[in-house]
Amino acid sequence: MSYKGRGKTQGGKPERSGAQVSRTGLKDGELPFYKQAANILARLERREGSIKNLTIGNDDIKDEDKRSVYALICQTLKFAPVLTRILDANKAMKKEKLGRRAELLMANDMLLSSQGLRRKDADPKMNKAMSRHESSLKRELNRIRQEVRARNDEDLVPLHLRDGASTFRYVRVNNLVSNMDKVLEHFYKEGYEIVTPNRDELHDVLKVRARKLMRDLDLDDVLVFPPGTDLHAHRLFVTGAIILQDKASCMPAHVVQPTPGSMALDACAAPGNKTSHMVSMMANQGKVFAFDLDRFRLNTLVKLTDKAQCKIIEAKCANFLELDPLDPEYASVEFALLDPSCSGSGIVNRMDVLVDSYIALGQGADQVAKPETDKARLANLAEFQTSIVLHAMRFPSIKRISYSTCSVHEEENEAVVARILGAQSEFTLAPRDQVIPSWPRRGLETGGLTKEQAACVVRTLPEDGTNGFFVAGFVRQAPADLDRIREELKALASSDKSAMLPPKDDAEDAVPDIDAAYRGNKRKAAGGSAMPTKKEKRHDKKPKPATAVVPSTKSKGKKRPKRKESVAGA
């Protein structure tokens, strides 16, 4: 209890002060630890947010508990299939009326955690009820271990849920720092076996965490490692000699094919891996304009491209759709890499796999099926994506464009390409032999594309060992019509400016502002308001798109983007 001094009330009991605190350390209104985590499982079932958003970005969870809750949720989802079997075998558990979600969470800690059931902020009655069945639950766990001949707890997890068991680990060799031969030699000396399997043998040869690697079959600057390979602390990564980048994400630069000494642009550039890939192909000769609406994401691009030793990037906090293609500054731009906001439906997220697997078990009374993709949102995204490509085509000297999404939806891919081909006559699709010709999976003969046109675009799916992705190339076939461009720009100037912003809630904007949430929780913990202070508002404020340059290399007298009103990030 929390008492004020040694005062007594008229009834002789100590006088209480402030919020009441129970023996568990919880204040009035605060849920016990496992009940709070169970509520998060319920919200995941209803698809109300990501694991990170519902834990790390959750203001209702104490700052010091966020990581613990996040880890517990992930671990429970991972082991949910075996935990469900164990609980189902114990019929007596139903009498405790703890609820299946709480049972799963507590069983995870009791059976699989070295620390056992959590006591801090937990409900003692719930812990006591669970502990009454500890012996029988452990017997069932041991029986299952013997049944599957498990050498460790990881062997109890289905293969598709194990750590790193989704896609291959792809590594792009950064030719600005090293080259393929040197990188291969380095890994060979470290004991890696260099293998050369056929495409249909990849999953058999590159097994999870095997110490093997191979050169990619389609991209000459990419290496392939087994799923689960962790290179974040590797010397070559730290020095910028290799870039950890999914194979699909490496395709756009190979499609746009910028040449050394030329001028190129990246319309939606942050966080910068595709930008640095173009610079690598250009051998740091020429110039690359990198545009992004969000200054903070653009600063991430600056840091990443600095690490990659890119010297020719001019990063600008600007809305690409508001740029004047006839500005003399861009008169020599010949190549454009366009990777606009999309639904992100092709991204292989291990956390999503865990949630999907858990829901498939049928947990919880309010479990619901995954909703269909919002068709209206896809239509808005497709309209924005089309406008990005058509605007790039207004730059009079551009001769080659790559358009890509990390989406598997036809509406954002083949349908967008068909709309672009029907809206203008100066560009056509690049032929198949110029668009990753050895890659077997091509586009769909839907959305308005013919069989020949579909063969000119590339699709990737998770079953290919990479993220779901789409890439198309456009090449100029007629000179730019400057009069038409001026008329279109005049019409755009009087149109609705909101149409020039990407639709909200796109895949990249779904990340919570963890720092802001943390500061808000700290204020509440100190007994103050959860509202940000004036100083914090200035810190969190995002600038209006400006053409101020954010240099891509460290130098004196950096020019920073002007701080104006807030806008949505791209």
Side-chain angles (χ1 to χ4, degrees):
M1 297 283 187
S2 175
Y3 303 116
K4 183 177 180 181
R6 298 174 180 265
K8 302 280 186 176
T9 64
Q10 289 182 352
K13 294 183 180 181
E15 180 180 343
R16 300 185 182 188
S17 171
Q20 297 183 21
V21 181
S22 69
R23 286 177 296 175
T24 64
L26 293 171
K27 296 180 180 179
D28 284 344
E30 289 183 343
L31 287 176
F33 181 80
Y34 289 114
K35 284 188 177 180
Q36 190 173 49
N39 284 347
I40 293 173
L41 283 183
R43 295 181 68 185
L44 286 171
E45 292 167 17
R46 296 191 294 268
R47 306 281 184 179
E48 292 183 8
S50 66
I51 299 176
K52 179 176 285 188
N53 196 5
L54 296 177
T55 54
I56 306 299
N58 191 338
D59 288 345
D60 294 330
I61 301 176
K62 296 178 181 178
D63 292 337
E64 63 268 24
D65 289 342
K66 289 178 184 288
R67 294 293 174 185
S68 298
V69 176
Y70 178 81
L72 174 61
I73 294 292
C74 292
Q75 186 79 349
T76 301
L77 293 177
K78 176 180 172 181
F79 284 94
V82 67
L83 292 174
T84 298
R85 287 187 60 188
I86 293 171
L87 292 168
D88 286 346
N90 190 321
K91 305 300 182 182
M93 279 293 302
K94 294 182 180 179
K95 297 180 181 179
E96 306 294 353
K97 298 182 179 180
L98 295 173
R100 177 47 63 94
R101 301 183 190 98
E103 290 175 355
L104 285 168
L105 295 160
M106 299 177 78
N108 177 83
D109 277 356
M110 175 183 285
L111 304 176
L112 302 172
S113 170
S114 60
Q115 298 178 351
L117 285 174
R118 179 185 173 108
R119 294 181 181 276
K120 181 185 177 184
D121 295 340
D123 186 336
K125 293 181 179 179
M126 292 178 67
N127 281 12
K128 186 176 180 179
M130 194 72 186
S131 297
R132 282 195 284 265
H133 305 274
E134 183 172 1
S135 297
S136 60
L137 294 175
K138 286 185 175 179
R139 282 197 301 271
E140 181 62 18
L141 172 60
N142 290 331
R143 189 193 67 76
I144 294 176
R145 280 176 171 156
Q146 293 176 5
E147 176 187 310
V148 301
R149 298 179 180 180
R151 297 164 297 177
N152 50 49
D153 288 342
E154 190 76 9
D155 289 343
L156 298 171
V157 181
L159 285 174
H160 71 289
L161 297 182
R162 295 183 186 179
D163 294 337
S166 51
T167 63
F168 297 117
R169 163 60 73 190
Y170 294 96
V171 167
R172 173 168 64 83
V173 175
N174 182 10
N175 290 317
L176 302 177
V177 177
S178 187
N179 59 55
M180 180 62 74
D181 291 338
K182 290 181 180 179
V183 170
L184 283 172
E185 182 181 4
H186 188 105
F187 281 112
Y188 178 76
K189 289 181 178 179
E190 287 187 349
Y192 280 84
E193 179 185 355
I194 301 174
V195 296
T196 56
N198 296 323
R199 198 179 297 275
D200 56 1
E201 299 174 330
L202 293 182
H203 288 87
D204 293 329
V205 175
L206 296 179
K207 295 182 179 180
V208 177
R209 293 192 180 88
R211 205 165 176 79
K212 298 179 179 180
L213 78 152
M214 62 172 285
R215 293 192 65 164
D216 188 73
L217 300 174
D218 308 290
L219 307 178
D220 59 11
D221 54 358
V222 173
L223 293 173
V224 191
F225 290 78
T229 303
D230 188 0
L231 298 171
H232 288 88
H234 195 279
R235 179 174 174 272
L236 293 180
F237 173 69
V238 173
T239 60
I242 60 174
I243 310 291
L244 305 185
Q245 185 174 355
D246 188 71
K247 174 177 179 172
S249 177
C250 295
M251 289 182 173
H254 282 278
V255 171
V256 74
Q257 301 173 11
T259 55
S262 63
M263 190 174 289
L265 67 80
D266 189 341
C268 311
N273 279 340
K274 298 181 186 70
T275 316
S276 70
H277 195 182
M278 282 203 295
V279 175
S280 178
M281 297 180 73
M282 295 166 66
N284 252 340
Q285 300 173 35
K287 189 170 188 177
V288 175
F289 292 102
F291 303 102
D292 203 275
L293 266 172
D294 192 312
R295 178 177 64 85
F296 300 100
R297 284 169 50 81
L298 198 67
N299 284 339
T300 299
L301 176 145
V302 172
K303 293 176 183 177
L304 289 178
T305 55
D306 277 350
K307 177 184 175 183
Q309 297 189 23
C310 299
K311 307 297 183 184
I312 61 172
I313 296 175
E314 186 171 328
K316 296 190 175 187
C317 187
N319 183 344
F320 177 71
L321 290 175
E322 293 182 344
L323 296 180
D324 181 3
L326 302 182
D327 188 324
E329 185 176 16
Y330 309 121
S332 299
V333 174
E334 298 178 280
F335 303 94
L337 190 152
L338 313 176
D339 189 67
S341 298
C342 71
S343 65
S345 57
I347 296 175
V348 178
N349 187 321
R350 181 174 170 272
M351 295 298 103
D352 290 341
V353 173
L354 289 176
V355 174
D356 291 343
S357 174
Y358 166 71
I359 291 179
L361 291 172
Q363 309 296 347
D366 55 359
Q367 175 251 329
V368 295
K370 186 175 182 179
E372 292 185 3
T373 303
D374 186 346
K375 296 294 183 182
R377 179 167 173 261
L378 285 181
N380 289 335
L381 283 166
E383 183 176 355
F384 173 74
Q385 292 153 356
T386 302
S387 66
I388 287 284
V389 180
L390 290 177
H391 194 61
M393 291 177 172
R394 296 187 182 106
F395 286 69
S397 296
I398 283 185
K399 60 184 182 182
R400 194 172 184 90
I401 295 171
S402 71
Y403 167 68
S404 59
T405 73
C406 51
S407 171
V408 296
H409 297 305
E410 169 195 323
E411 293 91 333
E412 300 177 89
N413 299 332
E414 288 86 356
V416 167
V417 170
R419 288 174 65 182
I420 292 166
L421 292 175
Q424 51 77 47
S425 58
E426 293 179 3
F427 285 82
T428 188
L429 280 173
R432 173 174 178 153
D433 61 6
Q434 297 179 16
V435 185
I436 325 292
S438 59
W439 181 255
R441 192 183 298 279
R442 313 308 288 189
L444 304 177
E445 298 173 40
T446 56
L449 294 188
T450 65
K451 181 178 180 179
E452 292 74 20
Q453 289 172 329
C456 295
V457 301
V458 164
R459 268 184 174 267
T460 69
L461 293 176
E463 62 197 67
D464 300 321
T466 183
N467 284 311
F469 210 77
F470 177 86
V471 190
F474 296 94
V475 292
R476 183 177 289 280
Q477 63 178 357
D481 185 338
L482 298 182
D483 291 334
R484 177 188 60 80
I485 293 174
R486 292 189 183 96
E487 287 299 318
E488 290 179 355
L489 293 177
K490 184 177 180 180
L492 286 173
S494 59
S495 64
D496 181 8
K497 296 297 181 182
S498 65
M500 294 186 177
L501 294 174
K504 294 182 179 180
D505 299 322
D506 65 286
E508 294 171 339
D509 290 334
V511 180
D513 186 347
I514 304 302
D515 292 335
Y518 174 80
R519 292 191 295 272
N521 284 341
K522 293 292 285 184
R523 285 189 297 271
K524 289 193 290 185
S529 169
M531 297 300 291
T533 63
K534 289 183 178 180
K535 181 178 180 180
E536 289 171 347
K537 284 181 179 180
R538 290 196 299 269
H539 173 83
D540 293 334
K541 197 173 183 181
K542 294 184 180 181
K544 182 179 179 180
T547 55
V549 176
V550 181
S552 61
T553 56
K554 296 179 180 179
S555 61
K556 295 182 179 179
K558 287 186 178 180
K559 295 180 181 179
R560 298 291 184 183
K562 297 177 181 178
R563 288 181 176 270
K564 294 184 180 179
E565 62 188 77
S566 173
V567 297

